[in-house]
Amino acid sequence: GDANTVDVDGKLEVLRDSWRRNLGIDIAPQILRWKDFQSRVDAGVADLVIGTWTADFADPDNFLRTVFHSSTGMNEPKWHSSEFDMLVDSAAARTDQGGRMNFYRAADRILVADEAAIVPLCYGREPVLAKPWVASFPRTASYIRLLKNCWIERSTRGGGAKA
């Protein structure tokens, strides 16, 4: 196999079988080199794309507005919903967390349930090993940028000490 591809044949076959049985559709997957994949996505010729996204920070804005807004997002699927855009714009303008989340939940419902522009198949994890004495280790995918906020705590005979 190509060094730039992962072993997806088994996963694709599970999806093909499930969609054939439950939806009555048959797909013919193609595994492309990255540049060919990106060219097809950019040209809008792909009918279905299986991709991943890792959050830069733990906030729904990082997925919803940043990725799917029709004019300010990356919007690779070239999907458009005026109502969705209004909801994520309203959420981004709010300063109260509860109000923001209400707008983002409504936008997510449009994207995933009402229009099914995307279909989340799984949620990944990025395990990181850190010794127990590393304090304040960030729990986000972009942890590298936040390492300045960590410190080492070592126990001594006389109690804990910060270094």
Side-chain angles (χ1 to χ4, degrees), residues 128-137 139 150-154:
V128 177
L129 297 175
K131 295 287 187 179
W133 52 80
V134 178
S136 190
F137 193 84
R139 306 268 188 242
C150 297
W151 66 88
I152 305 297
E153 287 185 350
R154 284 282 196 177

Side-chain angles (χ1 to χ4, degrees), residues 53 61-79 84-85 88-89:
W53 180 262
D61 187 75
N62 190 240
F63 286 94
L64 297 174
R65 191 177 56 83
T66 302
V67 178
F68 296 105
H69 192 286
S70 64
S71 62
T72 61
M74 294 181 334
N75 198 16
E76 286 184 339
K78 310 221 182 323
W79 172 74
F84 175 90
D85 288 350
V88 295
D89 286 340

Side-chain angles (χ1 to χ4, degrees), residues 2-97:
D2 186 345
N4 294 324
T5 63
V6 292
D7 180 22
V8 295
D9 291 338
K11 295 174 181 112
L12 285 176
E13 194 52 45
V14 168
L15 287 174
R16 287 185 71 194
D17 182 56
S18 177
W19 290 341
R20 188 181 308 115
R21 283 184 293 108
N22 296 302
L23 301 174
I25 60 173
D26 194 22
I27 61 169
Q30 296 176 326
I31 298 174
L32 304 171
R33 289 196 163 110
W34 179 252
K35 67 178 185 165
D36 298 329
F37 166 79
Q38 201 61 56
S39 294
R40 291 188 69 175
V41 169
D42 291 345
V45 298
D47 295 319
L48 174 70
V49 173
I50 297 176
T52 61
W53 180 262
T54 300
D56 299 311
F57 52 93
D59 189 272
D61 187 75
N62 190 240
F63 286 94
L64 297 174
R65 191 177 56 83
T66 302
V67 178
F68 296 105
H69 192 286
S70 64
S71 62
T72 61
M74 294 181 334
N75 198 16
E76 286 184 339
K78 310 221 182 323
W79 172 74
H80 179 266
S81 165
S82 298
E83 184 180 5
F84 175 90
D85 288 350
M86 183 272 306
L87 287 166
V88 295
D89 286 340
S90 297
R94 297 290 294 253
T95 57
D96 64 299
Q97 190 67 354

